[in-house]
Amino acid sequence: MSSYQTNQIKFINTSLIDPHPDNPRKNIGDVTDLAASIKTNGLLSPLSVVPNGERYRVIAGHRRLAACKQAGIGFVPCFVLQLDPLQQLEAMVTENCQREQLTVLEEADAIQGMLDLGATTASVAHRLGRSSDYVRDRAKAASIDNEVRATRDDFSQLTIGQLVAIARYDGQPDRQKKLAQAAGTSNFDYILRNIERDDRDRQWIESVAALLVEPDSGINLIPDPAYSDPEWRYLGCMFPSTGTPEEVIDKIREQNPAAVSIHMEQVYLWARRDKTADAEKEARRAAEQAERDARRHALEEYAAASADKRMAWLHANLHGIKRDKLIETTAQLGLLQIIDPDPQGYTLALSTWNDAACGGEQFATISGIEPERALAELRYHLDEPDWAVWAVQILAARIEWFIDPTDWTTVNDTSRRIPGYYQILQDLGYTPTDDETSHLDQLTAAISEADSDENEEDDENEEDDE
């Protein structure tokens, strides 16, 4: 046992020998096999003990002592050492470390105990044959209090790197517990990085705040106003990524805001509101919104009126059109719907009229049949010679259901069908109003322009491919 060893051996009754209360190794484990070996072969290595009044305390050999007592051995050979408390702890730490019997946390607590007894970091490092950093890291780990250690049953099995990271946040038990819970998982590094980032951000904003309140900063620092504050208008903000605190101050001076405020880890820049300009801007915004609302209302009125006119004409005139023409119209309306990129809505079973609109309301308007009687009438007439007029009513109702007011001003799959639908109606004898003709011309022009742009884009892509 290094410099503390003695050659004098004394046989001592095991009943007079106690485990050392400062033994770094808290759990000696199962000694059943060792007890059986000692019972058969005897104790081959003497214990090392120190006097404790009329009794003795073990310095080296706690497992052997427990095994001897379990085996019923009465007297055991011992080296009796004369050591002060620091020397006792040093000896126990050295002996356990050499046998690799301590967990990192047990070793850390023992090293801290040596330091508490007056040992220096250098002397402990020399005694253990370790570096000073090795000793300092374990002293940090030993600072973790019992409340945090109790976070998990296997806390003593954490690595020195994890323990040092946890110890870094001494006085912040919530953070320490969060890290302890995550130790040994892939989430540990993520949580640690977030904590480090939060600390950097906090330090950054504290440094910026300190520079802002300096008498010669030349920057007006105000309490953080609300975004709708009547006096201040938001200009922008600066984050830790903007630069160092000194760089941020320089950038604030360059932008020369009327004031700045601090909120969380950000610096907000403010200008004084020009109430007259704000009022004018708000008035313009209100006028533009009113104009948009008026255009939308006018479009909705036009769409509803034109739909009513079309369906009223179909209701009044379909039964007077010759059968051959109606069969031709059925084919045209069917083709117009089938070529739609998503024709499902046009071709749903008529039974869907019981569950959703799908043209049921429009069919009732065109045919003059009450919605609840529509299916029965259709089943009857589709097997009769006049089936064509009913087919036209069904197909026209489906198209009418799909046309939305915005389809008159926006080029999409439905709006592309509107000019073709009108052409079919006109072939039947329908005459559009001037308003309808104007809207049709505008829609046709928009479709042509969209197709032209698409063709130009395709040509450019082909040239790029070549």
Side-chain angles (χ1 to χ4, degrees), residues 432-443:
T433 64
D434 291 342
D435 199 11
E436 286 178 289
T437 300
S438 174
H439 278 86
L440 279 170
D441 290 344
Q442 294 176 33
L443 179 58

Side-chain angles (χ1 to χ4, degrees), residues 31 40 61 77 86-87 102 119 136 162 190-191 210 314 339 363 375 394 402:
V31 296
T40 301
L86 174 57
Q87 291 173 326
L102 297 180
R136 278 191 286 267
Q162 293 164 347
Y190 172 77
I191 292 175
L314 289 168
I339 62 175
F363 175 79
L375 287 177
I394 294 170
F402 261 83

Side-chain angles (χ1 to χ4, degrees), residues 290-301:
E291 185 179 349
R292 287 193 294 271
D293 291 344
R295 286 199 301 268
R296 185 180 66 253
H297 181 67
L299 184 61
E300 290 172 350
E301 285 190 334

Side-chain angles (χ1 to χ4, degrees), residues 110-127:
I111 287 174
Q112 184 58 53
M114 294 164 66
L115 296 173
D116 290 343
L117 290 171
T120 65
T121 299
S123 65
V124 174
H126 176 73
R127 182 66 183 169

Side-chain angles (χ1 to χ4, degrees), residues 178-222:
K178 192 173 183 179
L179 284 169
Q181 287 289 354
T185 72
S186 58
N187 207 31
F188 181 81
D189 289 340
Y190 172 77
I191 292 175
L192 182 59
R193 284 196 301 271
N194 283 346
I195 291 175
E196 291 171 344
R197 183 202 62 211
D198 291 344
D199 283 348
R200 288 194 302 270
D201 291 351
R202 177 181 51 79
Q203 292 169 4
W204 178 87
I205 200 66
E206 288 175 355
S207 297
V208 171
L211 293 173
L212 287 173
V213 297
E214 288 183 355
D216 59 347
S217 72
I219 300 173
N220 180 24
L221 179 64
I222 62 172

Side-chain angles (χ1 to χ4, degrees), residues 132-340:
S132 294
D133 286 342
Y134 182 95
V135 174
R136 278 191 286 267
D137 283 347
R138 278 147 185 80
K140 291 176 184 175
S143 70
I144 302 173
D145 62 33
N146 291 330
E147 180 184 355
V148 177
R149 296 187 186 195
T151 301
R152 50 191 294 172
D153 294 337
D154 61 345
F155 189 87
S156 63
Q157 303 303 314
L158 301 188
T159 67
I160 185 61
Q162 293 164 347
L163 292 171
V164 169
I166 294 170
R168 190 185 308 161
Y169 299 99
D170 185 33
Q172 303 177 55
D174 289 343
R175 282 181 165 182
Q176 288 187 312
K177 291 176 183 178
K178 192 173 183 179
L179 284 169
Q181 287 289 354
T185 72
S186 58
N187 207 31
F188 181 81
D189 289 340
Y190 172 77
I191 292 175
L192 182 59
R193 284 196 301 271
N194 283 346
I195 291 175
E196 291 171 344
R197 183 202 62 211
D198 291 344
D199 283 348
R200 288 194 302 270
D201 291 351
R202 177 181 51 79
Q203 292 169 4
W204 178 87
I205 200 66
E206 288 175 355
S207 297
V208 171
L211 293 173
L212 287 173
V213 297
E214 288 183 355
D216 59 347
S217 72
I219 300 173
N220 180 24
L221 179 64
I222 62 172
D224 192 45
Y227 283 106
S228 57
D229 189 279
E231 182 178 358
W232 301 104
R233 177 170 57 85
Y234 172 73
L235 289 178
C237 63
M238 294 184 178
F239 306 86
S241 59
T242 304
T244 66
E246 292 75 16
E247 290 171 340
V248 167
I249 296 298
D250 289 340
K251 290 180 180 180
I252 292 175
R253 290 195 179 105
E254 289 175 6
Q255 296 190 31
N256 193 29
V260 299
S261 67
I262 294 176
H263 180 69
M264 303 296 287
E265 272 73 48
Q266 300 174 18
V267 179
Y268 287 80
L269 281 59
W270 304 92
R272 290 193 182 277
R273 288 188 182 277
D274 184 335
K275 296 182 180 180
T276 301
D278 286 349
E280 292 175 352
K281 184 177 180 180
E282 184 59 33
R284 286 195 302 272
R285 186 184 298 115
E288 291 168 356
Q289 184 60 49
E291 185 179 349
R292 287 193 294 271
D293 291 344
R295 286 199 301 268
R296 185 180 66 253
H297 181 67
L299 184 61
E300 290 172 350
E301 285 190 334
Y302 160 75
S306 61
D308 289 344
K309 180 177 179 298
R310 292 191 301 270
M311 290 189 288
W313 186 90
L314 289 168
H315 174 71
N317 293 279
L318 278 183
H319 288 277
I321 297 173
K322 292 182 179 181
R323 187 172 184 274
D324 289 347
K325 184 61 177 176
L326 290 173
I327 293 174
E328 176 186 334
T329 301
T330 298
Q332 291 174 328
L333 289 173
L335 286 173
L336 183 66
Q337 297 180 26
I338 290 172
I339 62 175
D340 192 282

Side-chain angles (χ1 to χ4, degrees), residues 354-422:
N354 294 332
D355 304 319
C358 290
E361 180 182 343
Q362 288 75 9
F363 175 79
T365 301
I366 294 171
S367 66
I369 297 175
E370 295 177 0
E372 57 269 19
R373 292 180 46 231
L375 287 177
E377 290 288 340
L378 286 171
R379 291 192 181 99
Y380 172 77
H381 286 285
L382 290 179
D383 290 331
E384 294 298 310
D386 62 344
W387 65 266
V389 69
W390 296 91
V392 171
Q393 290 178 120
I394 294 170
L395 295 171
R398 287 288 171 85
I399 293 177
E400 291 290 352
W401 178 72
F402 261 83
I403 298 176
D404 186 81
T406 57
D407 294 330
W408 285 97
T409 56
T410 304
V411 177
N412 55 47
D413 293 333
T414 301
S415 64
R416 289 178 179 276
R417 298 328 180 249
I418 292 176
Y421 178 51
Y422 263 85

